[in-house]
Amino acid sequence: MTMPRFLWLFLFVALPASAADYLSHNIDSSGARVIVTTDEFVVDIKALNLGAVSVEYQDPARTAQPSYALPEEVSFDGKMTVQEQESSIEIQLPKLSVRVSKSPFSVTYWRDDELLFAEAPGYFSIEGMLGFRFNVPENERFWGGGERLLGMDRRGHRLPLENKPHYGYTTESQQMYYSVPAVMSERSYVVAFDNPAKGVMDIAHSTPNILQFEAPAGRSAYLVVADDSLLALAQQWASVTGKQPLPPRWALGSFASRFGYRNQAEAEAVVQRYKDMDVPLDAIVLDLYWFGETIQGTMGNLEWHAPAWPAPEAMIANFDASGVKTVLITEPFVLTNAKEWPNAEKAGALAKSLSGEPRTFDFYFGHSGIVDVFSESGRNWFWSIYERLLDQGVAGIWGDLGEPEVHPNDTIHSAGSALSVHNAYGHNWAKLLYERMSARSDQRPFIMMRSGFLGSQRYGMIPWTGDVDRSWGGLSGQVELSLQMSAMGLAYIHSDLGGFAGGETFDPELYYRWLAMGVFSPVFRPHAQDHIPSEPVFHDQDTVDKARDLIKLRYRLLPYLYSLAHENATQGTPILRPRAYYDTSEQAFVDAGRYFFGDALFVQPVIEANQDTVEVSLPRDNQWFDFWTGGLISSHQIQQDLKATPIPVYARAGAFVPMLVEAPQSTSNYDSTTLELHYYHHASVLEAQSQLFDDDGYSASSLRSGTYEISTFNASWDNHGLTFRLQNTGSDYAGRPERRSIRLVVHGWSSLPQGVVVNDQKVAHVTYDESVNSLVIPITLPADSEVTIEIR
């Protein structure tokens, strides 16, 4: 009789694991690594930073596997101490302690004298399954698992660890495009399973207070990261798994994208329509029709379909001259009837079957094989395609279906079977593109993909939330998806604005609210099936006018957003931030309806139709201003009028928000010579600081070479008044302003000031608006200088 799978799993997790006997340990020459030997396995504990370790159980019966989660070059030059006691070994880092009990062998994790969690008993390996079990505190809440729609607290769920499409999802999803084998505790630590196999993460679902990772094959290792707060933890996590490189500035602009533009004339008409209707545009994304006139039967051709695209290089050059970049879709599948199939087969670029021949299979698009992105031959062949496209002027690559969407378990890659490396496929694909695009030129790569693994952000991956339904239900889950992914390092997670799948008729209200959320998102890219246009310029005049205003606001916010991108690249701080980063209330950890956009703005998307008002609960640790009017909010619990507000957005007291005075048509015309600098003044904030980052917007070497500038804004408030110090420092780069004209807008100033002094000179031209309590002061800030403004 065959035992039902669910019963087998229940019996398994209830089984005790045998305890190993400690034999010895040694510290390697780096002083940051302790290797413990037992009678069953070797435990390699490596310090990664001030509060992080990797732990690998090396089983003599199994071949060691490489880490995909960690950068290839990992070194720790901090302070680690190791003390041996009679019954234990203690490894001490500034923010984390690891205690190894000798008999019975076990490992526990501590912060100061606080027990975080413990192996229970830890590593297990039986026929067809390996993994780890941990004791976690009762009722402790966790983020984790990546893209799911389950609520922010993932405790109590048994989650498949398998990147897998969920077409047309709305309000619930157990399994989606990008799974993350990690949990992040409300007590500010992360446990991550460093294994890309198709597995399971059980967060106290099968057994109370037990966190279990399991997989049929792969690496026997996990990561632990701890810090003093959730915000600091996010930064530590990015330091461990790799920070996201700074994207090109055009990636933050407006995209034209649909499924899909069928020919060159149509694509050119779309770009022209944006210009004619005065709607900013920075990129056009071409879906799979660029290599074939049909959806099925053409995948893998990977060259321009000449009848429909007679002069692609001229088209791309013309787009670029008008400030519009071209992004092309590619997929990892090569159909057996595709033009490139013989070349791919001859190059040894395809994953193999057990017989050693290319593994082929049937799926929606045809009879296909898949590129082996783990092998040198596969990478070289795939890159030959991309290099040709880049030579033609293509600026960005869209890697679609990279879960992979179809990936039989017996597909053999150079790194192992599909079963054991499935979740690292998109990760390695992004790595291929990022490393070779970076070696090719100093242009920052643009790589958009929907699937990856732990640490994929270090390869510049820009993920999105997949084929969401074009409905209010589809919109409602986007905050949860974005926050879960942002917290785990994927800073540029975003949605197909307006929704992708389905929809019989155009819903202008849904579209407007979704675009409004997109303004306050890392990437602004409407995309959908083309029976309803995804681009705003193809709708009625009212929709066009509203969308134009939103997109121009997006462009005016670019100084703020680009500075957030710099902060993410240098510190690992997410762009979209969970409420719990700044709010100490118990509800903040599970809030899936609101988020911080940077540290200055608090956003609550509108996710229901026909609402005239919406209840907003503002974090109580701060005072707040209405972003749209500049007025101070008198209460933390308000009814927000939605009739004249596209989306509720609030500015934190003490926040600086730099903005362009006017929106350019594209970022190729970006000019920060003239700025508005908004400061939200409240007497409860005595000191405030922020920074503006700027460079040429495209050089990958700007941070390494120091060819950028930082403008630091400080505000201090005391009995004498409000004092600002604006300081600019940096190095020359193309387009650096010699001086900036800044309109300093001070919100929350209650009366006409007695006087305003700039660098000891009284200012005559000061504007005060008593209807919104705002003060406007004109300032000139030369490069590499400092200005002091005193308001009395």
Side-chain angles (χ1 to χ4, degrees):
M1 182 178 74
T2 301
M3 185 176 292
R5 177 171 173 79
F6 74 91
L7 180 57
W8 186 91
L9 289 171
F10 174 79
L11 292 175
F12 168 73
V13 297
L15 288 174
S18 59
D21 290 330
Y22 167 85
L23 298 179
S24 64
H25 77 277
N26 67 284
I27 306 170
D28 81 344
S29 58
S30 71
R33 190 173 191 174
V34 178
I35 300 174
V36 180
T37 302
T38 77
D39 60 349
E40 293 185 7
F41 38 69
V42 174
V43 186
D44 186 348
I45 305 173
K46 184 188 301 182
L48 302 173
N49 66 17
L50 299 179
V53 295
S54 67
V55 181
E56 181 180 5
Y57 279 69
Q58 299 171 350
D59 188 336
R62 301 181 61 254
T63 303
Q65 301 291 322
S67 171
Y68 292 97
L70 298 174
E72 293 177 7
E73 298 297 328
V74 179
S75 62
F76 174 67
D77 55 5
K79 182 179 180 181
M80 183 184 89
T81 60
V82 181
Q83 294 182 333
E84 183 177 11
Q85 308 294 332
E86 181 177 351
S87 61
S88 66
I89 305 161
E90 181 162 328
I91 303 165
Q92 184 72 51
L93 294 165
K95 295 178 179 293
L96 179 69
S97 295
V98 184
R99 298 180 188 175
V100 179
S101 176
K102 295 181 178 179
S103 182
F105 182 86
S106 64
V107 185
T108 56
Y109 296 88
W110 303 72
R111 182 173 47 219
D112 299 325
D113 293 324
E114 176 191 19
L115 175 63
L116 297 178
F117 66 97
E119 291 190 350
Y123 173 62
F124 63 83
S125 178
I126 62 172
E127 185 176 354
M129 185 177 294
L130 60 87
F132 296 94
R133 285 165 61 85
F134 304 99
N135 269 318
V136 292
E138 187 175 3
N139 299 322
E140 185 163 305
R141 299 176 297 180
F142 297 97
W143 298 332
E147 288 181 351
R148 328 267 176 173
L149 285 170
L150 305 167
M152 288 294 288
D153 181 12
R154 301 294 171 78
R155 190 184 184 107
H157 290 279
R158 182 172 170 84
L159 303 175
L161 296 175
E162 180 181 354
N163 295 347
K164 188 174 182 179
H166 185 167
Y167 178 81
Y169 68 89
T170 55
T171 59
E172 188 276 336
S173 183
Q174 292 280 336
Q175 185 175 16
M176 289 179 66
Y177 305 85
Y178 198 138
S179 63
V180 175
V183 294
M184 181 174 284
S185 165
E186 62 183 326
R187 291 195 298 144
S188 302
Y189 67 86
V190 170
V191 188
F193 189 30
D194 190 2
N195 184 331
K198 298 178 181 180
V200 172
M201 180 168 67
D202 190 309
I203 313 173
H205 171 80
S206 300
T207 307
N209 305 325
I210 292 292
L211 167 66
Q212 179 168 310
F213 297 101
E214 59 192 68
R219 182 172 164 84
S220 302
Y222 63 91
L223 310 176
V224 180
V225 185
D227 214 307
D228 300 326
S229 70
L230 288 168
L231 178 57
L233 179 64
Q235 296 168 331
Q236 282 269 44
W237 173 256
S239 295
V240 168
T241 57
K243 297 186 183 74
Q244 179 105 19
L246 188 66
R249 186 157 44 212
W250 64 263
L252 307 179
S254 164
F255 286 67
S257 182
R258 72 161 76 157
F259 180 42
Y261 304 116
R262 285 170 166 76
N263 53 61
Q264 182 173 331
E266 186 175 14
E268 290 171 338
V270 168
V271 172
Q272 187 61 47
R273 193 170 178 90
Y274 270 83
K275 294 178 187 176
D276 293 344
M277 304 195 79
D278 189 29
V279 178
L281 183 66
D282 258 274
I284 183 168
V285 184
L286 305 184
D287 213 313
L288 50 77
Y289 293 110
W290 73 268
F291 54 71
E293 63 183 352
T294 61
I295 296 174
Q296 295 173 303
T298 60
M299 189 171 288
N301 285 344
L302 295 173
E303 67 179 18
W304 294 94
H305 180 55
W309 307 86
E313 292 184 50
M315 176 193 72
I316 292 169
N318 289 335
F319 286 167
D320 193 56
S322 62
V324 178
K325 306 298 183 184
T326 302
V327 179
L328 293 188
I329 194 173
T330 58
E331 299 90 356
F333 301 102
V334 183
L335 300 188
T336 56
N337 66 334
K339 295 176 183 178
E340 285 292 341
W341 175 266
N343 296 329
E345 187 175 23
K346 181 179 179 181
L350 301 165
K352 303 291 193 294
S353 67
L354 293 172
S355 68
E357 299 297 318
R359 175 66 163 94
T360 60
F361 42 82
D362 291 312
F363 79 130
Y364 174 78
F365 296 96
H367 192 63
S368 180
I370 187 169
V371 178
D372 185 2
V373 296
F374 299 91
S375 73
E376 190 66 14
S377 57
R379 290 193 295 269
N380 288 342
W381 176 83
F382 218 3
W383 175 246
S384 71
I385 302 293
Y386 288 118
E387 192 165 36
R388 183 177 71 234
L389 296 173
L390 295 170
D391 285 343
Q392 294 172 345
V394 171
I397 301 298
W398 170 13
D400 200 18
L401 312 184
E403 296 77 23
E405 184 167 299
V406 179
H407 204 201
N409 288 343
D410 62 350
T411 304
I412 308 301
H413 296 279
S414 65
S417 69
L419 187 69
S420 63
V421 298
H422 173 79
N423 294 329
Y425 190 94
H427 178 91
N428 254 41
W429 188 8
K431 178 183 179 183
L432 157 68
L433 288 169
Y434 179 74
E435 290 181 344
R436 302 209 182 184
M437 291 172 77
S438 297
R440 171 190 167 90
S441 77
D442 195 37
Q443 297 283 322
R444 298 172 198 162
F446 177 89
I447 303 166
M448 188 173 74
M449 292 190 173
R450 72 185 189 185
S451 297
F453 188 60
L454 300 170
S456 291
Q457 72 278 352
R458 67 178 179 267
Y459 301 125
M461 183 183 287
I462 295 178
W464 81 101
T465 58
D467 296 337
V468 57
D469 191 61
R470 194 176 345 212
S471 65
W472 290 98
L475 171 59
S476 68
Q478 295 307 308
V479 172
E480 178 184 343
L481 292 171
S482 297
L483 293 181
Q484 291 282 348
M485 296 293 281
S486 293
M488 298 307 302
L490 285 305
Y492 293 90
I493 186 70
H494 66 285
S495 67
D496 288 345
L497 299 179
F500 174 82
E504 297 303 319
T505 58
F506 177 62
D507 183 337
E509 183 189 6
L510 171 65
Y511 186 73
Y512 177 52
R513 300 300 189 189
W514 212 320
L515 291 192
M517 185 186 73
V519 172
F520 302 94
S521 298
V523 176
F524 188 94
R525 187 183 57 86
H527 181 68
Q529 295 169 336
D530 64 358
H531 63 284
I532 300 174
S534 55
E535 310 91 338
V537 295
F538 291 102
H539 291 290
D540 60 272
Q541 192 61 49
D542 182 61
T543 297
V544 172
D545 291 343
K546 288 179 176 178
R548 181 191 300 111
D549 289 345
L550 288 172
I551 294 171
K552 286 193 172 186
L553 172 62
R554 167 80 176 191
Y555 276 72
R556 290 188 60 214
L557 281 167
L558 282 174
Y560 177 70
L561 177 54
Y562 196 50
S563 299
L564 294 180
H566 170 257
E567 184 181 354
N568 173 253
T570 56
Q571 300 179 42
T573 318
I575 294 172
L576 299 188
R577 304 175 188 179
R579 179 173 180 168
Y581 281 5
Y582 303 103
D583 186 348
T584 57
S585 66
E586 183 177 351
Q587 184 62 24
F589 189 82
V590 295
D591 191 341
R594 287 150 287 272
Y595 61 90
F596 279 84
F597 186 57
D599 69 346
L601 302 177
F602 186 64
V603 182
Q604 179 169 317
V606 180
I607 58 173
E608 294 182 15
N610 304 317
Q611 288 186 288
D612 292 331
T613 63
V614 65
E615 186 173 335
V616 177
S617 176
L618 294 166
R620 294 185 176 275
D621 293 1
N622 297 102
Q623 300 298 316
W624 297 93
F625 292 77
D626 188 313
F627 173 78
W628 303 100
T629 67
L632 179 66
I633 304 294
S634 60
S635 172
H636 289 86
Q637 199 75 25
I638 63 171
Q639 288 291 325
Q640 176 67 56
D641 184 357
L642 295 178
K643 291 189 290 294
T645 302
I647 183 173
V649 181
Y650 307 93
R652 177 181 52 82
F656 287 93
V657 179
M659 299 175 65
L660 299 179
V661 175
E662 294 184 359
Q665 178 63 26
S666 82
T667 60
S668 63
N669 309 121
Y670 182 88
D671 184 358
S672 61
T673 303
T674 303
L675 290 176
E676 283 182 355
L677 178 60
H678 294 260
Y679 178 71
Y680 297 87
H681 167 65
H682 192 272
S684 63
V685 180
L686 303 183
E687 300 285 342
Q689 182 177 347
S690 187
Q691 289 186 336
L692 170 70
F693 170 81
D694 207 359
D695 68 354
D696 63 15
Y698 59 85
S699 297
S701 61
S702 65
L703 295 183
R704 297 192 304 272
S705 63
T707 51
Y708 62 87
E709 63 178 348
I710 298 287
S711 298
T712 303
F713 311 134
N714 290 279
S716 59
W717 166 253
D718 57 26
N719 293 332
H720 301 291
L722 183 61
T723 301
F724 292 95
R725 289 182 176 84
L726 313 184
Q727 184 179 35
N728 177 276
T729 60
S731 178
D732 286 342
Y733 57 84
R736 186 186 185 190
E738 293 183 5
R739 64 188 67 247
R740 283 190 173 85
S741 297
I742 299 176
R743 296 177 67 244
L744 176 61
V745 183
V746 183
H747 302 274
W749 194 262
S750 59
S751 63
L752 185 67
Q754 297 176 2
V756 177
V757 175
V758 177
N759 284 351
D760 299 324
Q761 298 293 318
K762 189 170 183 179
V763 178
H765 302 291
V766 174
T767 304
Y768 177 70
D769 187 341
E770 63 179 355
S771 66
V772 290
N773 291 338
S774 68
L775 183 66
V776 180
I777 306 167
I779 299 163
T780 299
L781 178 63
D784 299 311
S785 68
E786 181 176 327
V787 173
T788 300
I789 306 103
E790 299 173 272
I791 307 173
R792 301 289 180 254

